[in-house]
Structure formats: structure tokens, C-alpha cells
Amino acid sequence: MTYYLLSVMQPAGEPPAPEVLAEIGTNLEAFHQELRQAGAWVFAGGLHGPESSTVLRPQGGDVLITDGPYAEGKEHLGGICLIKAPDLDAALDWGRKAALATTLPIEVRPFMGEADR
């Protein structure tokens, strides 16, 4: 099995209405339960917005600490889901389900090296 990161790409701006978020939450919980039942679940969680971030950057033998996002963009990392899958096709199938549950773009990326566990 290989570990894959499913990254939820959150658009900048206002979040959806509460009733829309409630439906997305219900869909996400069903998706997570399906992952658990299939033995593919490792971890998942949402993130606060990029304005809550702190960036640590090496500079001249020290580390510079700054508030706020490293880069500004139309999308940011809104959440992650770490899964186990036998191959990329299986991971993409889970990514499709995640996209439907979240109504957002999902980036699927394998971890480097052997992650068999």
C-alpha cells in the first residue's frame, strides 16, 4: 500500500451558507466512514484559513518568523485527507469521492519512498 495525500483546495472568499456547509459535513462524514470501512483511512482534518498561518524561513543562519500566508492566491489548502491505496487509480477513485463530498477541487499526490505499513 502507498500513502496518498488528498488536498482540499479551498477558494478564497466567504464560506458557503450554513445549510450548504451542513450538507457538505454530512457528505464528508459518509466519505470518511467509507474510507474506514475499506481500510484506506489514515487521517483527515480541515485547516483554518491562511490568515492564521505563521511562516518560518531560514535566513542567514537564523530563522525569520512572519505572520500570514507565504503566498497569496485564489485558492489555499483548506484540508487534508491521508489515505492508503494499492495504486494511483485507487487513490484517484477516492479523490473523486472526496471532490463530490466537498464540492471542491482535490489534489491527489503520493508520498515519496516506500510507505508500506
Side-chain angles (χ1 to χ4, degrees):
M1 291 283 198
T2 301
Y3 288 96
Y4 291 87
L5 181 66
L6 308 183
S7 301
V8 180
M9 303 312 298
Q10 180 77 38
E14 293 297 316
E19 61 274 7
V20 174
L21 282 177
E23 182 178 351
I24 291 170
T26 299
N27 294 340
L28 266 175
E29 185 52 43
F31 170 66
H32 292 163
Q33 187 59 34
E34 186 178 353
L35 282 168
R36 287 182 187 100
Q37 289 173 345
W41 169 268
V42 177
F43 172 81
L47 299 170
H48 288 281
E51 68 282 351
S52 68
S53 68
T54 304
V55 178
L56 293 88
R57 181 177 291 118
Q59 184 173 339
D62 200 3
V63 176
L64 177 65
I65 300 174
T66 56
D67 291 335
Y70 173 72
E72 293 187 24
K74 294 180 182 179
E75 295 178 325
H76 61 271
L77 183 61
I80 63 167
C81 184
L82 181 60
I83 65 166
K84 295 183 290 189
D87 55 36
L88 179 60
D89 288 338
L92 292 174
D93 285 342
W94 287 118
R96 284 182 192 93
K97 292 178 181 188
L100 292 171
T102 63
T103 71
L104 295 171
I106 302 294
E107 178 185 84
V108 177
R109 192 183 302 188
F111 276 79
M112 293 174 57
E114 290 299 316
D116 294 331
R117 293 186 188 176

